[in-house]
Amino acid sequence: MPGEAVTLQLGHYAGCVGAHWWGLQAAALRSPAEAAELRAAALFRAGREAGGRESHTPRLVALELKGTGGAGGGLARGGLAVTAGFVYSGGCSELKRPSLFTSLIPGASPASSRLAVSQEVYSGGSMRVWSDYLNVHLHPKSIYVIRQYMHDGECGCLEAFGQGESLLQDPGCIEELEDRLHFYVEECDYLQGFQVLCDLHNGFSGVGAKVTELLYDEYSGKGILTWGLTPVMSNMGGSQKNFYRLMNTALGIVHLSSHSSLFCPLSLSGSLGIKPQPPVTFPYINYDASLNYHSSAILAAVLDTLTAPYRLCSSQGSMMHLAETLNFSGRKVVAAWASVPFPALHGCSLPDTLCAYQQDMPWKLLSSCREQKVSCCFAQSVVLRGVCKESHISCPEKQATSPLHAYDSTEQILQHYLHTVFPGAFSTSHVLEQPCNTLPPYPQFFSPLLTRQGFLLDKPPTVESIPVLAALQSSPVLHTLLYSLYKDLQKLNTRRWPSFFSAGVEQDDFQEALQELRTLSQCYEMGSEADESEDEADAD
């Protein structure tokens, strides 16, 4: 087996995605007894509750600010989070938050109460912070509250990259972080690496830069997969806040990718640049883009799918193996694509479903690039989940009309399809029967056209699980994202914002990072684009 991973959540939106992600995995642990395809031990540590029942707690270190502990606000004692919304249980062996969803932790109440909860949280209006919908137990070592800054407010916020970097230069903060990391690492039989979920739009991008540098230096040879997360931003305008967001994003991408095995910007926002773009939409999800509770739930389902290759019971693939299949030729940044849910007709075969998408894949780009069409890629890792292994059998009324119908397994069908749509690309693929379980606290924002298992066309029930198709791609669309950020920043007069640089970033360091961003973008150019950028470089 590939071994265990330690997860770090850096920032509030990272906490939102993480809360849903842990909830999805906890739901999988509670699901019916068919053989699990994903190893819980890859991300969870097993233990025993006071009554002797087995429990699972995430192998997690979360850095947060004051004010993110739910309705009671946050308290910090000696750096350890003792949040007003949390209580210790089991003799201080783990941390648990009593909430609307307590009944959904193992030993759950009947389905009728789950449906009642589903109705209560549909709007998500009461979900202000991620601890409001966290429904798993956390170990006391998991949460570290940064006391110097507040989560929300007009002042005292962690808003600049340099502020985040400075925090991780404080010996006390570094000691707290290393203590928590060592606690989890030392109990691993074989550590395969670290998953880093990091806010990209605020000062946590600077925190993440220093954290990944520490991991890179101290755990040489281990995988570091970093996810740069950005919520859907409203009213970006031309304010100081928008300028800070742009600067934090650019510096974060450069520094996080530098010290990670693989870096993926992940967002439902249409653009990370100056000009706002509409958020990503999904044909079978009716979500409110302004609610972090909603947008983070979609990203969590995608993340749970994309990380499957190094959590499989049946595979020896590791985090480093996944990274090395995608990051060659200096391409350490990858784009995420996903279909949530995968639009499969109830009862129809996988070949029949894929034949309807011969020209365009049925997925959406979730890395805030302005290009929404993809015609080629250099390499990709694709996971399709929630599809029955027997689904290669065609619908009775249909004849085998394509080469896809000739294959004997869903894995062969998907691999052939990828080679057809992306000829010449290095493609790895996995097909899982295990879907994403979407019972509360996962929001019930699905179209009434979905069945209970997330397939199309049936009466409108509560959606309990969904099939998901997701991919990480090393793709030319990343040239658009990275070069657009470079051009946006190049146009700005950064000297108008001395407060950003007074937090610790030097002008010379910023200019150097800007050139690194441009160099990184050039790794994703095709032939004609490379010629154009050389002409622009000569003109600069």
Side-chain angles (χ1 to χ4, degrees):
M1 293 295 177
E4 302 91 353
V6 176
T7 303
L8 295 97
Q9 288 172 195
L10 311 177
H12 181 69
Y13 193 64
C16 294
V17 176
H20 278 304
W21 190 20
W22 300 119
L24 289 171
Q25 293 175 71
L29 287 171
R30 296 191 300 270
S31 62
E34 62 258 6
E37 295 169 284
L38 297 175
R39 294 182 302 115
L43 304 183
F44 282 83
R45 56 194 301 276
R48 293 285 175 186
E49 295 183 0
R53 187 174 61 187
E54 186 179 30
S55 66
H56 294 84
T57 54
R59 204 175 289 110
L60 169 68
V61 179
L63 272 62
E64 261 296 357
L65 305 180
K66 291 185 294 183
T68 51
L75 302 173
R77 295 177 185 170
L80 176 65
V82 186
T83 318
F86 293 96
V87 295
Y88 288 107
S89 64
C92 284
S93 63
E94 57 191 19
L95 192 61
K96 165 183 169 182
R97 186 183 192 280
S99 73
L100 182 63
F101 308 107
T102 306
S103 62
L104 302 180
I105 297 174
S109 55
S112 59
S113 64
R114 293 203 299 267
L115 294 178
V117 169
S118 154
Q119 296 302 317
E120 186 168 350
V121 302
Y122 178 81
S123 68
S126 61
M127 304 296 166
R128 297 188 302 105
V129 292
W130 61 265
S131 55
D132 285 337
Y133 44 93
L134 177 70
N135 76 324
V136 298
H137 297 211
L138 298 182
H139 191 278
K141 288 282 188 183
S142 280
I143 300 182
Y144 176 59
V145 173
I146 297 170
R147 292 169 291 174
Q148 294 94 318
Y149 296 98
M150 292 295 296
H151 160 59
D152 210 355
E154 293 300 318
C155 59
C157 296
L158 183 61
E159 55 186 0
F161 182 91
Q163 292 173 314
E165 276 194 317
S166 298
L167 279 173
L168 266 292
Q169 291 166 350
D170 177 358
C173 188
I174 293 175
E175 183 179 349
E176 287 283 0
L177 176 61
E178 290 182 334
D179 174 65
R180 286 162 168 73
L181 288 173
H182 292 160
F183 173 79
Y184 290 117
V185 168
E186 288 168 6
E187 68 177 13
C188 293
D189 292 328
Y190 175 74
L191 175 71
Q192 59 169 311
F194 301 88
Q195 303 173 131
V196 182
L197 281 61
C198 182
D199 286 7
L200 200 56
H201 59 293
N202 55 34
F204 272 102
S205 63
V207 173
K210 285 298 182 183
V211 168
T212 51
E213 183 179 356
L214 183 150
L215 297 175
Y216 181 83
D217 291 341
E218 288 203 13
Y219 299 94
S220 176
K222 302 300 182 183
I224 304 172
L225 267 57
T226 303
W227 309 87
L229 302 167
T230 305
V232 176
M233 312 293 285
S234 59
N235 191 26
M236 291 197 293
S239 64
Q240 174 176 306
K241 189 174 183 179
N242 188 35
F243 171 81
Y244 274 36
R245 177 192 57 79
L246 191 64
M247 299 281 280
N248 292 331
T249 299
L251 290 168
I253 289 174
V254 169
H255 289 272
L256 290 167
S257 62
S258 174
H259 295 112
S260 300
S261 310
L262 208 62
F263 172 78
C264 179
L266 199 58
S267 177
L268 299 186
S269 182
S271 171
L272 297 180
I274 292 176
K275 295 180 180 178
Q277 300 288 330
V280 178
T281 59
F282 298 88
Y284 302 106
I285 293 181
N286 304 312
Y287 81 103
D288 184 342
S290 68
L291 294 178
N292 289 347
Y293 169 63
H294 278 189
S295 64
S296 62
I298 296 171
L299 295 184
V302 175
L303 190 62
D304 194 44
T305 305
L306 292 173
T307 57
Y310 55 85
R311 299 190 285 128
L312 290 170
C313 296
S314 61
S315 171
Q316 294 298 314
S318 66
M319 296 174 73
M320 280 300 289
H321 180 259
L322 174 63
E324 288 168 356
T325 61
L326 298 170
N327 67 6
F328 53 85
S329 302
R331 301 183 183 115
K332 294 174 73 174
V333 183
V334 290
W337 300 78
S339 178
V340 186
F342 177 63
L345 287 168
H346 181 61
C348 260
S349 72
L350 183 58
D352 293 333
T353 301
L354 293 177
C355 281
Y357 300 99
Q358 293 281 20
Q359 300 301 319
D360 293 318
M361 293 290 289
W363 55 28
K364 297 294 186 79
L365 182 57
L366 305 184
S367 292
S368 299
C369 302
R370 293 171 191 168
E371 291 183 12
Q372 288 296 313
K373 298 286 185 180
V374 59
S375 56
C376 64
C377 69
F378 306 112
Q380 61 184 342
S381 167
V382 181
V383 179
L384 174 60
R385 66 185 303 180
V387 174
C388 180
K389 295 289 187 178
E390 283 72 42
S391 68
H392 61 281
I393 302 171
S394 189
C395 293
E397 68 273 14
K398 294 191 177 182
Q399 300 297 317
T401 56
S402 80
L404 293 178
H405 292 83
Y407 289 93
D408 295 329
S409 72
T410 50
E411 288 85 357
Q412 292 173 324
I413 292 166
L414 180 59
Q415 192 68 18
H416 179 83
Y417 176 76
L418 294 173
H419 283 313
T420 302
V421 178
F422 301 98
F426 179 74
S427 298
T428 60
S429 61
H430 299 277
V431 179
L432 285 69
E433 289 193 9
Q434 186 174 328
C436 270
N437 292 280
T438 54
L439 288 170
Y442 202 88
Q444 290 297 301
F445 47 20
F446 298 102
S447 163
L449 298 176
L450 298 183
T451 69
R452 292 167 71 90
Q453 285 72 45
F455 292 97
L456 304 187
L457 297 178
D458 205 340
K459 295 179 181 179
T462 295
V463 177
E464 297 181 352
S465 66
I466 55 171
V468 177
L469 174 67
L472 288 175
Q473 281 191 347
S474 176
S475 166
V477 298
L478 287 156
H479 172 70
T480 303
L481 168 66
L482 301 172
Y483 194 67
S484 294
L485 277 174
Y486 165 76
K487 295 295 285 184
D488 282 350
L489 285 167
Q490 195 181 42
K491 294 173 186 175
L492 293 177
N493 179 9
T494 56
R495 298 187 187 279
R496 289 180 54 200
W497 311 101
S499 57
F500 184 89
F501 295 95
S502 66
V505 176
E506 300 289 338
Q507 278 278 356
D508 289 346
D509 292 339
F510 171 72
Q511 292 301 325
E512 182 180 346
L514 200 57
Q515 292 308 312
E516 289 178 19
L517 186 65
R518 176 177 180 164
T519 301
L520 190 59
S521 75
Q522 292 170 343
C523 294
Y524 299 90
E525 290 176 335
M526 303 298 284
S528 59
E529 292 172 332
D531 294 338
E532 290 174 10
S533 68
E534 286 179 10
D535 293 340
E536 289 187 15
D538 293 338
D540 287 347

